[in-house]
PDB file of all heavy atoms in Angstrom:
ATOM      1  N   LEU A  22      29.868  63.449 -16.520  1.00  0.00           N
ATOM      2  CA  LEU A  22      30.468  64.439 -17.182  1.00  0.00           C
ATOM      3  C   LEU A  22      30.185  65.844 -16.508  1.00  0.00           C
ATOM      4  O   LEU A  22      29.093  66.009 -16.043  1.00  0.00           O
ATOM      5  CB  LEU A  22      30.002  64.481 -18.665  1.00  0.00           C
ATOM      6  CG  LEU A  22      30.368  63.452 -19.667  1.00  0.00           C
ATOM      7  CD1 LEU A  22      29.827  63.697 -20.948  1.00  0.00           C
ATOM      8  CD2 LEU A  22      31.807  63.102 -19.566  1.00  0.00           C
ATOM      9  N   SER A  23      31.196  66.634 -16.398  1.00  0.00           N
ATOM     10  CA  SER A  23      31.031  67.948 -15.910  1.00  0.00           C
ATOM     11  C   SER A  23      30.297  68.875 -16.907  1.00  0.00           C
ATOM     12  O   SER A  23      30.368  68.580 -18.149  1.00  0.00           O
ATOM     13  CB  SER A  23      32.408  68.586 -15.541  1.00  0.00           C
ATOM     14  OG  SER A  23      33.112  68.740 -16.684  1.00  0.00           O
ATOM     15  N   GLU A  24      29.946  70.041 -16.423  1.00  0.00           N
ATOM     16  CA  GLU A  24      29.411  71.099 -17.325  1.00  0.00           C
ATOM     17  C   GLU A  24      30.299  71.340 -18.518  1.00  0.00           C
ATOM     18  O   GLU A  24      30.029  71.536 -19.648  1.00  0.00           O
ATOM     19  CB  GLU A  24      29.011  72.366 -16.528  1.00  0.00           C
ATOM     20  CG  GLU A  24      28.065  72.326 -15.433  1.00  0.00           C
ATOM     21  CD  GLU A  24      26.627  72.259 -15.809  1.00  0.00           C
ATOM     22  OE1 GLU A  24      26.357  72.974 -16.812  1.00  0.00           O
ATOM     23  OE2 GLU A  24      25.817  71.701 -15.269  1.00  0.00           O
ATOM     24  N   GLU A  25      31.613  71.599 -18.069  1.00  0.00           N
ATOM     25  CA  GLU A  25      32.639  71.942 -19.040  1.00  0.00           C
ATOM     26  C   GLU A  25      32.739  70.789 -20.109  1.00  0.00           C
ATOM     27  O   GLU A  25      32.925  71.094 -21.285  1.00  0.00           O
ATOM     28  CB  GLU A  25      33.933  71.990 -18.266  1.00  0.00           C
ATOM     29  CG  GLU A  25      35.199  72.506 -19.034  1.00  0.00           C
ATOM     30  CD  GLU A  25      36.354  72.567 -18.199  1.00  0.00           C
ATOM     31  OE1 GLU A  25      36.407  71.951 -16.987  1.00  0.00           O
ATOM     32  OE2 GLU A  25      37.396  72.993 -18.640  1.00  0.00           O
ATOM     33  N   GLU A  26      32.664  69.562 -19.652  1.00  0.00           N
ATOM     34  CA  GLU A  26      32.748  68.406 -20.647  1.00  0.00           C
ATOM     35  C   GLU A  26      31.535  68.437 -21.578  1.00  0.00           C
ATOM     36  O   GLU A  26      31.651  68.188 -22.710  1.00  0.00           O
ATOM     37  CB  GLU A  26      32.920  67.151 -19.910  1.00  0.00           C
ATOM     38  CG  GLU A  26      34.314  67.003 -19.303  1.00  0.00           C
ATOM     39  CD  GLU A  26      34.336  65.755 -18.431  1.00  0.00           C
ATOM     40  OE1 GLU A  26      33.809  65.662 -17.372  1.00  0.00           O
ATOM     41  OE2 GLU A  26      35.019  64.645 -18.885  1.00  0.00           O
ATOM     42  N   LEU A  27      30.311  68.635 -20.999  1.00  0.00           N
ATOM     43  CA  LEU A  27      29.170  68.659 -21.944  1.00  0.00           C
ATOM     44  C   LEU A  27      29.162  69.773 -22.870  1.00  0.00           C
ATOM     45  O   LEU A  27      28.853  69.521 -23.992  1.00  0.00           O
ATOM     46  CB  LEU A  27      27.956  68.851 -20.917  1.00  0.00           C
ATOM     47  CG  LEU A  27      27.446  67.497 -20.169  1.00  0.00           C
ATOM     48  CD1 LEU A  27      26.446  67.859 -19.166  1.00  0.00           C
ATOM     49  CD2 LEU A  27      26.944  66.542 -21.153  1.00  0.00           C
ATOM     50  N   LYS A  28      29.794  70.919 -22.487  1.00  0.00           N
ATOM     51  CA  LYS A  28      29.880  72.005 -23.344  1.00  0.00           C
ATOM     52  C   LYS A  28      30.917  71.602 -24.579  1.00  0.00           C
ATOM     53  O   LYS A  28      30.563  71.990 -25.777  1.00  0.00           O
ATOM     54  CB  LYS A  28      30.460  73.282 -22.736  1.00  0.00           C
ATOM     55  CG  LYS A  28      29.472  74.063 -21.979  1.00  0.00           C
ATOM     56  CD  LYS A  28      30.078  75.236 -21.211  1.00  0.00           C
ATOM     57  CE  LYS A  28      28.982  75.776 -20.375  1.00  0.00           C
ATOM     58  NZ  LYS A  28      29.535  76.510 -19.107  1.00  0.00           N
ATOM     59  N   LEU A  29      31.869  70.943 -24.337  1.00  0.00           N
ATOM     60  CA  LEU A  29      32.759  70.378 -25.293  1.00  0.00           C
ATOM     61  C   LEU A  29      32.150  69.413 -26.227  1.00  0.00           C
ATOM     62  O   LEU A  29      32.284  69.498 -27.430  1.00  0.00           O
ATOM     63  CB  LEU A  29      34.042  69.786 -24.644  1.00  0.00           C
ATOM     64  CG  LEU A  29      35.196  69.440 -25.608  1.00  0.00           C
ATOM     65  CD1 LEU A  29      35.609  70.623 -26.478  1.00  0.00           C
ATOM     66  CD2 LEU A  29      36.368  69.025 -24.720  1.00  0.00           C
ATOM     67  N   PHE A  30      31.291  68.501 -25.603  1.00  0.00           N
ATOM     68  CA  PHE A  30      30.429  67.673 -26.467  1.00  0.00           C
ATOM     69  C   PHE A  30      29.679  68.378 -27.437  1.00  0.00           C
ATOM     70  O   PHE A  30      29.617  68.064 -28.596  1.00  0.00           O
ATOM     71  CB  PHE A  30      29.605  66.661 -25.511  1.00  0.00           C
ATOM     72  CG  PHE A  30      30.140  65.359 -25.284  1.00  0.00           C
ATOM     73  CD1 PHE A  30      31.187  65.190 -24.335  1.00  0.00           C
ATOM     74  CD2 PHE A  30      29.695  64.218 -25.928  1.00  0.00           C
ATOM     75  CE1 PHE A  30      31.668  63.890 -24.138  1.00  0.00           C
ATOM     76  CE2 PHE A  30      30.178  62.985 -25.746  1.00  0.00           C
ATOM     77  CZ  PHE A  30      31.177  62.741 -24.804  1.00  0.00           C
ATOM     78  N   SER A  31      29.001  69.420 -26.876  1.00  0.00           N
ATOM     79  CA  SER A  31      28.118  70.241 -27.702  1.00  0.00           C
ATOM     80  C   SER A  31      28.865  70.874 -28.833  1.00  0.00           C
ATOM     81  O   SER A  31      28.483  70.983 -30.007  1.00  0.00           O
ATOM     82  CB  SER A  31      27.399  71.186 -26.859  1.00  0.00           C
ATOM     83  OG  SER A  31      26.423  72.031 -27.639  1.00  0.00           O
ATOM     84  N   LEU A  32      30.003  71.500 -28.513  1.00  0.00           N
ATOM     85  CA  LEU A  32      30.778  72.186 -29.440  1.00  0.00           C
ATOM     86  C   LEU A  32      31.313  71.327 -30.532  1.00  0.00           C
ATOM     87  O   LEU A  32      31.350  71.655 -31.751  1.00  0.00           O
ATOM     88  CB  LEU A  32      32.019  72.756 -28.772  1.00  0.00           C
ATOM     89  CG  LEU A  32      32.999  73.763 -29.377  1.00  0.00           C
ATOM     90  CD1 LEU A  32      32.199  75.069 -29.825  1.00  0.00           C
ATOM     91  CD2 LEU A  32      34.180  74.010 -28.616  1.00  0.00           C
ATOM     92  N   ARG A  33      31.628  70.110 -30.210  1.00  0.00           N
ATOM     93  CA  ARG A  33      32.254  69.211 -31.308  1.00  0.00           C
ATOM     94  C   ARG A  33      31.103  68.395 -32.021  1.00  0.00           C
ATOM     95  O   ARG A  33      31.379  67.832 -32.974  1.00  0.00           O
ATOM     96  CB  ARG A  33      33.029  68.077 -30.586  1.00  0.00           C
ATOM     97  CG  ARG A  33      34.312  68.649 -29.907  1.00  0.00           C
ATOM     98  CD  ARG A  33      35.316  69.048 -30.982  1.00  0.00           C
ATOM     99  NE  ARG A  33      36.530  69.490 -30.323  1.00  0.00           N
ATOM    100  CZ  ARG A  33      36.906  70.808 -30.178  1.00  0.00           C
ATOM    101  NH1 ARG A  33      36.251  71.788 -30.674  1.00  0.00           N
ATOM    102  NH2 ARG A  33      38.033  71.184 -29.443  1.00  0.00           N
ATOM    103  N   GLY A  34      29.781  68.536 -31.504  1.00  0.00           N
ATOM    104  CA  GLY A  34      28.718  67.856 -32.112  1.00  0.00           C
ATOM    105  C   GLY A  34      28.733  66.319 -31.835  1.00  0.00           C
ATOM    106  O   GLY A  34      28.180  65.572 -32.636  1.00  0.00           O
ATOM    107  N   ALA A  35      29.524  65.981 -30.746  1.00  0.00           N
ATOM    108  CA  ALA A  35      29.505  64.504 -30.428  1.00  0.00           C
ATOM    109  C   ALA A  35      28.141  64.099 -29.678  1.00  0.00           C
ATOM    110  O   ALA A  35      27.518  64.979 -29.145  1.00  0.00           O
ATOM    111  CB  ALA A  35      30.712  64.221 -29.536  1.00  0.00           C
ATOM    112  N   ALA A  36      27.987  62.818 -29.762  1.00  0.00           N
ATOM    113  CA  ALA A  36      26.704  62.317 -29.141  1.00  0.00           C
ATOM    114  C   ALA A  36      26.946  61.343 -28.039  1.00  0.00           C
ATOM    115  O   ALA A  36      28.064  60.846 -27.807  1.00  0.00           O
ATOM    116  CB  ALA A  36      25.959  61.519 -30.217  1.00  0.00           C
ATOM    117  N   ILE A  37      25.897  61.131 -27.228  1.00  0.00           N
ATOM    118  CA  ILE A  37      25.898  60.298 -26.055  1.00  0.00           C
ATOM    119  C   ILE A  37      24.913  59.184 -26.254  1.00  0.00           C
ATOM    120  O   ILE A  37      23.827  59.407 -26.679  1.00  0.00           O
ATOM    121  CB  ILE A  37      25.664  61.040 -24.762  1.00  0.00           C
ATOM    122  CG1 ILE A  37      26.942  62.063 -24.380  1.00  0.00           C
ATOM    123  CG2 ILE A  37      25.293  60.141 -23.621  1.00  0.00           C
ATOM    124  CD1 ILE A  37      26.667  62.927 -23.301  1.00  0.00           C
ATOM    125  N   SER A  38      25.302  57.977 -25.818  1.00  0.00           N
ATOM    126  CA  SER A  38      24.443  56.845 -25.828  1.00  0.00           C
ATOM    127  C   SER A  38      24.066  56.561 -24.353  1.00  0.00           C
ATOM    128  O   SER A  38      24.953  56.253 -23.563  1.00  0.00           O
ATOM    129  CB  SER A  38      24.974  55.581 -26.399  1.00  0.00           C
ATOM    130  OG  SER A  38      24.180  54.446 -26.235  1.00  0.00           O
ATOM    131  N   HIS A  39      22.826  56.641 -24.007  1.00  0.00           N
ATOM    132  CA  HIS A  39      22.287  56.497 -22.711  1.00  0.00           C
ATOM    133  C   HIS A  39      21.883  55.027 -22.532  1.00  0.00           C
ATOM    134  O   HIS A  39      21.024  54.497 -23.259  1.00  0.00           O
ATOM    135  CB  HIS A  39      21.036  57.349 -22.540  1.00  0.00           C
ATOM    136  CG  HIS A  39      20.365  57.259 -21.172  1.00  0.00           C
ATOM    137  ND1 HIS A  39      21.003  56.997 -19.971  1.00  0.00           N
ATOM    138  CD2 HIS A  39      19.047  57.324 -20.854  1.00  0.00           C
ATOM    139  CE1 HIS A  39      20.123  56.948 -18.943  1.00  0.00           C
ATOM    140  NE2 HIS A  39      18.943  57.100 -19.458  1.00  0.00           N
ATOM    141  N   CYS A  40      22.546  54.294 -21.613  1.00  0.00           N
ATOM    142  CA  CYS A  40      22.292  52.841 -21.426  1.00  0.00           C
ATOM    143  C   CYS A  40      21.802  52.630 -19.930  1.00  0.00           C
ATOM    144  O   CYS A  40      22.581  52.054 -19.225  1.00  0.00           O
ATOM    145  CB  CYS A  40      23.618  52.144 -21.764  1.00  0.00           C
ATOM    146  SG  CYS A  40      24.339  52.504 -23.293  1.00  0.00           S
ATOM    147  N   PRO A  41      20.605  52.931 -19.659  1.00  0.00           N
ATOM    148  CA  PRO A  41      20.184  52.987 -18.375  1.00  0.00           C
ATOM    149  C   PRO A  41      20.140  51.511 -17.710  1.00  0.00           C
ATOM    150  O   PRO A  41      20.436  51.313 -16.565  1.00  0.00           O
ATOM    151  CB  PRO A  41      18.693  53.603 -18.368  1.00  0.00           C
ATOM    152  CG  PRO A  41      18.234  53.375 -19.775  1.00  0.00           C
ATOM    153  CD  PRO A  41      19.553  53.433 -20.582  1.00  0.00           C
ATOM    154  N   ASN A  42      19.791  50.475 -18.497  1.00  0.00           N
ATOM    155  CA  ASN A  42      19.863  49.156 -17.965  1.00  0.00           C
ATOM    156  C   ASN A  42      21.189  48.775 -17.352  1.00  0.00           C
ATOM    157  O   ASN A  42      21.273  48.321 -16.229  1.00  0.00           O
ATOM    158  CB  ASN A  42      19.235  48.057 -18.908  1.00  0.00           C
ATOM    159  CG  ASN A  42      19.167  46.654 -18.335  1.00  0.00           C
ATOM    160  OD1 ASN A  42      19.945  46.229 -17.540  1.00  0.00           O
ATOM    161  ND2 ASN A  42      18.092  46.072 -18.762  1.00  0.00           N
ATOM    162  N   SER A  43      22.162  48.913 -18.170  1.00  0.00           N
ATOM    163  CA  SER A  43      23.483  48.631 -17.726  1.00  0.00           C
ATOM    164  C   SER A  43      23.897  49.518 -16.494  1.00  0.00           C
ATOM    165  O   SER A  43      24.562  49.151 -15.583  1.00  0.00           O
ATOM    166  CB  SER A  43      24.451  48.860 -18.949  1.00  0.00           C
ATOM    167  OG  SER A  43      25.797  48.856 -18.544  1.00  0.00           O
ATOM    168  N   ASN A  44      23.535  50.805 -16.587  1.00  0.00           N
ATOM    169  CA  ASN A  44      23.951  51.696 -15.475  1.00  0.00           C
ATOM    170  C   ASN A  44      23.356  51.342 -14.216  1.00  0.00           C
ATOM    171  O   ASN A  44      24.062  51.358 -13.110  1.00  0.00           O
ATOM    172  CB  ASN A  44      23.419  53.142 -15.800  1.00  0.00           C
ATOM    173  CG  ASN A  44      24.164  53.834 -16.918  1.00  0.00           C
ATOM    174  OD1 ASN A  44      25.250  53.299 -17.368  1.00  0.00           O
ATOM    175  ND2 ASN A  44      23.551  54.853 -17.520  1.00  0.00           N
ATOM    176  N   PHE A  45      22.130  50.758 -14.137  1.00  0.00           N
ATOM    177  CA  PHE A  45      21.614  50.089 -12.978  1.00  0.00           C
ATOM    178  C   PHE A  45      22.078  48.830 -12.587  1.00  0.00           C
ATOM    179  O   PHE A  45      22.468  48.554 -11.516  1.00  0.00           O
ATOM    180  CB  PHE A  45      20.015  50.076 -13.127  1.00  0.00           C
ATOM    181  CG  PHE A  45      19.255  51.398 -12.997  1.00  0.00           C
ATOM    182  CD1 PHE A  45      18.380  51.753 -13.980  1.00  0.00           C
ATOM    183  CD2 PHE A  45      19.510  52.354 -11.916  1.00  0.00           C
ATOM    184  CE1 PHE A  45      17.714  52.995 -13.951  1.00  0.00           C
ATOM    185  CE2 PHE A  45      18.945  53.595 -11.888  1.00  0.00           C
ATOM    186  CZ  PHE A  45      17.912  53.833 -12.845  1.00  0.00           C
ATOM    187  N   SER A  46      22.229  47.980 -13.641  1.00  0.00           N
ATOM    188  CA  SER A  46      22.618  46.542 -13.416  1.00  0.00           C
ATOM    189  C   SER A  46      24.010  46.415 -12.768  1.00  0.00           C
ATOM    190  O   SER A  46      24.232  45.574 -11.921  1.00  0.00           O
ATOM    191  CB  SER A  46      22.616  45.677 -14.705  1.00  0.00           C
ATOM    192  OG  SER A  46      21.234  45.709 -15.095  1.00  0.00           O
ATOM    193  N   LEU A  47      24.923  47.319 -13.239  1.00  0.00           N
ATOM    194  CA  LEU A  47      26.316  47.268 -12.699  1.00  0.00           C
ATOM    195  C   LEU A  47      26.611  48.221 -11.708  1.00  0.00           C
ATOM    196  O   LEU A  47      27.615  48.596 -11.270  1.00  0.00           O
ATOM    197  CB  LEU A  47      27.311  47.491 -13.907  1.00  0.00           C
ATOM    198  CG  LEU A  47      27.408  46.369 -15.108  1.00  0.00           C
ATOM    199  CD1 LEU A  47      28.357  46.712 -16.092  1.00  0.00           C
ATOM    200  CD2 LEU A  47      27.386  44.948 -14.550  1.00  0.00           C
ATOM    201  N   CYS A  48      25.529  48.996 -11.340  1.00  0.00           N
ATOM    202  CA  CYS A  48      25.527  50.005 -10.300  1.00  0.00           C
ATOM    203  C   CYS A  48      26.597  51.111 -10.671  1.00  0.00           C
ATOM    204  O   CYS A  48      27.392  51.588  -9.839  1.00  0.00           O
ATOM    205  CB  CYS A  48      25.812  49.571  -8.896  1.00  0.00           C
ATOM    206  SG  CYS A  48      24.526  48.651  -8.174  1.00  0.00           S
ATOM    207  N   SER A  49      26.563  51.501 -11.913  1.00  0.00           N
ATOM    208  CA  SER A  49      27.537  52.456 -12.445  1.00  0.00           C
ATOM    209  C   SER A  49      27.199  53.806 -12.078  1.00  0.00           C
ATOM    210  O   SER A  49      28.132  54.629 -11.691  1.00  0.00           O
ATOM    211  CB  SER A  49      27.756  52.276 -13.940  1.00  0.00           C
ATOM    212  OG  SER A  49      28.203  50.980 -14.267  1.00  0.00           O
ATOM    213  N   GLY A  50      25.980  54.344 -12.248  1.00  0.00           N
ATOM    214  CA  GLY A  50      25.613  55.728 -12.032  1.00  0.00           C
ATOM    215  C   GLY A  50      24.261  55.906 -12.786  1.00  0.00           C
ATOM    216  O   GLY A  50      23.631  55.166 -13.396  1.00  0.00           O
ATOM    217  N   VAL A  51      23.773  57.189 -12.680  1.00  0.00           N
ATOM    218  CA  VAL A  51      22.583  57.530 -13.426  1.00  0.00           C
ATOM    219  C   VAL A  51      22.887  58.727 -14.300  1.00  0.00           C
ATOM    220  O   VAL A  51      23.232  59.872 -13.765  1.00  0.00           O
ATOM    221  CB  VAL A  51      21.497  57.927 -12.352  1.00  0.00           C
ATOM    222  CG1 VAL A  51      20.174  58.326 -13.041  1.00  0.00           C
ATOM    223  CG2 VAL A  51      21.226  56.818 -11.494  1.00  0.00           C
ATOM    224  N   LEU A  52      22.575  58.688 -15.609  1.00  0.00           N
ATOM    225  CA  LEU A  52      22.803  59.760 -16.390  1.00  0.00           C
ATOM    226  C   LEU A  52      21.595  60.757 -16.290  1.00  0.00           C
ATOM    227  O   LEU A  52      20.418  60.373 -16.443  1.00  0.00           O
ATOM    228  CB  LEU A  52      22.942  59.274 -17.907  1.00  0.00           C
ATOM    229  CG  LEU A  52      23.102  60.414 -18.939  1.00  0.00           C
ATOM    230  CD1 LEU A  52      24.479  61.101 -18.811  1.00  0.00           C
ATOM    231  CD2 LEU A  52      22.873  59.966 -20.388  1.00  0.00           C
ATOM    232  N   ASN A  53      21.992  61.997 -16.184  1.00  0.00           N
ATOM    233  CA  ASN A  53      20.918  63.112 -16.158  1.00  0.00           C
ATOM    234  C   ASN A  53      20.625  63.641 -17.511  1.00  0.00           C
ATOM    235  O   ASN A  53      21.221  64.361 -18.188  1.00  0.00           O
ATOM    236  CB  ASN A  53      21.421  64.209 -15.324  1.00  0.00           C
ATOM    237  CG  ASN A  53      20.247  65.313 -14.999  1.00  0.00           C
ATOM    238  OD1 ASN A  53      19.257  65.278 -15.869  1.00  0.00           O
ATOM    239  ND2 ASN A  53      20.352  66.067 -13.971  1.00  0.00           N
ATOM    240  N   VAL A  54      19.641  62.926 -18.227  1.00  0.00           N
ATOM    241  CA  VAL A  54      19.366  63.099 -19.612  1.00  0.00           C
ATOM    242  C   VAL A  54      18.926  64.515 -19.903  1.00  0.00           C
ATOM    243  O   VAL A  54      19.266  65.165 -20.927  1.00  0.00           O
ATOM    244  CB  VAL A  54      18.249  62.064 -20.141  1.00  0.00           C
ATOM    245  CG1 VAL A  54      17.719  62.497 -21.478  1.00  0.00           C
ATOM    246  CG2 VAL A  54      18.713  60.661 -20.076  1.00  0.00           C
ATOM    247  N   GLN A  55      18.068  65.012 -19.017  1.00  0.00           N
ATOM    248  CA  GLN A  55      17.629  66.411 -19.247  1.00  0.00           C
ATOM    249  C   GLN A  55      18.662  67.404 -19.273  1.00  0.00           C
ATOM    250  O   GLN A  55      18.755  68.449 -20.075  1.00  0.00           O
ATOM    251  CB  GLN A  55      16.556  66.859 -18.247  1.00  0.00           C
ATOM    252  CG  GLN A  55      15.223  66.136 -18.504  1.00  0.00           C
ATOM    253  CD  GLN A  55      14.361  65.894 -17.236  1.00  0.00           C
ATOM    254  OE1 GLN A  55      14.780  65.338 -16.322  1.00  0.00           O
ATOM    255  NE2 GLN A  55      13.260  66.584 -17.233  1.00  0.00           N
ATOM    256  N   LYS A  56      19.733  67.231 -18.320  1.00  0.00           N
ATOM    257  CA  LYS A  56      20.846  68.083 -18.383  1.00  0.00           C
ATOM    258  C   LYS A  56      21.646  68.023 -19.632  1.00  0.00           C
ATOM    259  O   LYS A  56      22.051  69.008 -20.252  1.00  0.00           O
ATOM    260  CB  LYS A  56      21.790  67.666 -17.184  1.00  0.00           C
ATOM    261  CG  LYS A  56      22.920  68.545 -16.905  1.00  0.00           C
ATOM    262  CD  LYS A  56      23.619  68.173 -15.583  1.00  0.00           C
ATOM    263  CE  LYS A  56      25.053  68.540 -15.540  1.00  0.00           C
ATOM    264  NZ  LYS A  56      25.736  68.048 -14.317  1.00  0.00           N
ATOM    265  N   VAL A  57      21.888  66.863 -20.136  1.00  0.00           N
ATOM    266  CA  VAL A  57      22.589  66.533 -21.432  1.00  0.00           C
ATOM    267  C   VAL A  57      21.849  67.309 -22.567  1.00  0.00           C
ATOM    268  O   VAL A  57      22.478  68.063 -23.366  1.00  0.00           O
ATOM    269  CB  VAL A  57      22.701  64.982 -21.758  1.00  0.00           C
ATOM    270  CG1 VAL A  57      23.098  64.810 -23.130  1.00  0.00           C
ATOM    271  CG2 VAL A  57      23.521  64.265 -20.700  1.00  0.00           C
ATOM    272  N   LEU A  58      20.466  67.101 -22.604  1.00  0.00           N
ATOM    273  CA  LEU A  58      19.670  67.731 -23.642  1.00  0.00           C
ATOM    274  C   LEU A  58      19.635  69.282 -23.592  1.00  0.00           C
ATOM    275  O   LEU A  58      19.717  70.040 -24.521  1.00  0.00           O
ATOM    276  CB  LEU A  58      18.311  67.160 -23.637  1.00  0.00           C
ATOM    277  CG  LEU A  58      18.121  65.670 -23.983  1.00  0.00           C
ATOM    278  CD1 LEU A  58      16.739  65.274 -23.829  1.00  0.00           C
ATOM    279  CD2 LEU A  58      18.747  65.356 -25.386  1.00  0.00           C
ATOM    280  N   LYS A  59      19.691  69.816 -22.321  1.00  0.00           N
ATOM    281  CA  LYS A  59      19.791  71.284 -22.137  1.00  0.00           C
ATOM    282  C   LYS A  59      21.086  71.854 -22.706  1.00  0.00           C
ATOM    283  O   LYS A  59      21.138  72.995 -23.012  1.00  0.00           O
ATOM    284  CB  LYS A  59      19.675  71.592 -20.665  1.00  0.00           C
ATOM    285  CG  LYS A  59      18.323  71.661 -20.105  1.00  0.00           C
ATOM    286  CD  LYS A  59      18.273  72.448 -18.745  1.00  0.00           C
ATOM    287  CE  LYS A  59      16.866  72.265 -18.096  1.00  0.00           C
ATOM    288  NZ  LYS A  59      16.666  71.169 -17.157  1.00  0.00           N
ATOM    289  N   HIS A  60      22.152  71.035 -22.658  1.00  0.00           N
ATOM    290  CA  HIS A  60      23.378  71.394 -23.320  1.00  0.00           C
ATOM    291  C   HIS A  60      23.453  71.231 -24.784  1.00  0.00           C
ATOM    292  O   HIS A  60      24.508  71.313 -25.377  1.00  0.00           O
ATOM    293  CB  HIS A  60      24.584  70.719 -22.601  1.00  0.00           C
ATOM    294  CG  HIS A  60      25.064  71.283 -21.237  1.00  0.00           C
ATOM    295  ND1 HIS A  60      24.480  70.891 -20.163  1.00  0.00           N
ATOM    296  CD2 HIS A  60      26.034  72.156 -20.963  1.00  0.00           C
ATOM    297  CE1 HIS A  60      25.030  71.522 -19.119  1.00  0.00           C
ATOM    298  NE2 HIS A  60      25.889  72.338 -19.608  1.00  0.00           N
ATOM    299  N   ASN A  61      22.354  70.802 -25.303  1.00  0.00           N
ATOM    300  CA  ASN A  61      22.185  70.606 -26.844  1.00  0.00           C
ATOM    301  C   ASN A  61      23.225  69.607 -27.258  1.00  0.00           C
ATOM    302  O   ASN A  61      23.801  69.712 -28.369  1.00  0.00           O
ATOM    303  CB  ASN A  61      22.465  71.956 -27.425  1.00  0.00           C
ATOM    304  CG  ASN A  61      21.796  72.007 -28.774  1.00  0.00           C
ATOM    305  OD1 ASN A  61      20.836  71.304 -28.959  1.00  0.00           O
ATOM    306  ND2 ASN A  61      22.253  72.857 -29.651  1.00  0.00           N
ATOM    307  N   VAL A  62      23.279  68.469 -26.509  1.00  0.00           N
ATOM    308  CA  VAL A  62      24.174  67.357 -26.999  1.00  0.00           C
ATOM    309  C   VAL A  62      23.251  66.281 -27.543  1.00  0.00           C
ATOM    310  O   VAL A  62      22.182  65.947 -26.883  1.00  0.00           O
ATOM    311  CB  VAL A  62      24.941  66.826 -25.679  1.00  0.00           C
ATOM    312  CG1 VAL A  62      25.744  65.483 -26.115  1.00  0.00           C
ATOM    313  CG2 VAL A  62      25.882  67.878 -25.196  1.00  0.00           C
ATOM    314  N   LYS A  63      23.487  65.753 -28.629  1.00  0.00           N
ATOM    315  CA  LYS A  63      22.805  64.601 -29.299  1.00  0.00           C
ATOM    316  C   LYS A  63      22.815  63.477 -28.465  1.00  0.00           C
ATOM    317  O   LYS A  63      23.902  63.074 -27.823  1.00  0.00           O
ATOM    318  CB  LYS A  63      23.395  64.326 -30.694  1.00  0.00           C
ATOM    319  CG  LYS A  63      23.322  65.473 -31.677  1.00  0.00           C
ATOM    320  CD  LYS A  63      23.946  64.992 -33.064  1.00  0.00           C
ATOM    321  CE  LYS A  63      25.421  64.716 -32.953  1.00  0.00           C
ATOM    322  NZ  LYS A  63      26.151  64.580 -34.248  1.00  0.00           N
ATOM    323  N   LEU A  64      21.673  62.747 -28.235  1.00  0.00           N
ATOM    324  CA  LEU A  64      21.543  61.624 -27.315  1.00  0.00           C
ATOM    325  C   LEU A  64      20.505  60.579 -27.819  1.00  0.00           C
ATOM    326  O   LEU A  64      19.448  60.896 -28.328  1.00  0.00           O
ATOM    327  CB  LEU A  64      20.987  62.226 -25.973  1.00  0.00           C
ATOM    328  CG  LEU A  64      20.926  61.084 -24.922  1.00  0.00           C
ATOM    329  CD1 LEU A  64      21.728  61.524 -23.680  1.00  0.00           C
ATOM    330  CD2 LEU A  64      19.550  60.811 -24.510  1.00  0.00           C
TER     331      LEU A  64
END
C-alpha cells in the first residue's frame, strides 16, 4: 500500500490483517507494520 492508500484506510477506519507466515511462505512481500501503525490504521 502507498502512503495515499494508508491515509484512506485511516480515514475510513478500515483495518489490516497482517499474515506474516503466508507472506514469507508464498514469497509475497513484507508488511511494514510500524508504518501502518504510524498512519493510525487498525491492525
Side-chain angles (χ1 to χ4, degrees):
L22 293 185
S23 64
E24 299 278 332
E25 192 183 3
E26 288 176 284
L27 285 169
K28 281 179 186 149
L29 190 51
F30 262 78
S31 181
L32 186 67
R33 297 285 182 258
I37 288 170
S38 172
H39 176 38
C40 306
N42 185 317
S43 172
N44 293 342
F45 286 130
S46 296
L47 302 182
C48 288
S49 297
V51 182
L52 177 70
N53 190 334
V54 168
Q55 284 156 300
K56 186 172 156 188
V57 170
L58 296 175
K59 276 195 188 98
H60 278 86
N61 206 23
V62 175
K63 296 179 294 191
L64 184 129

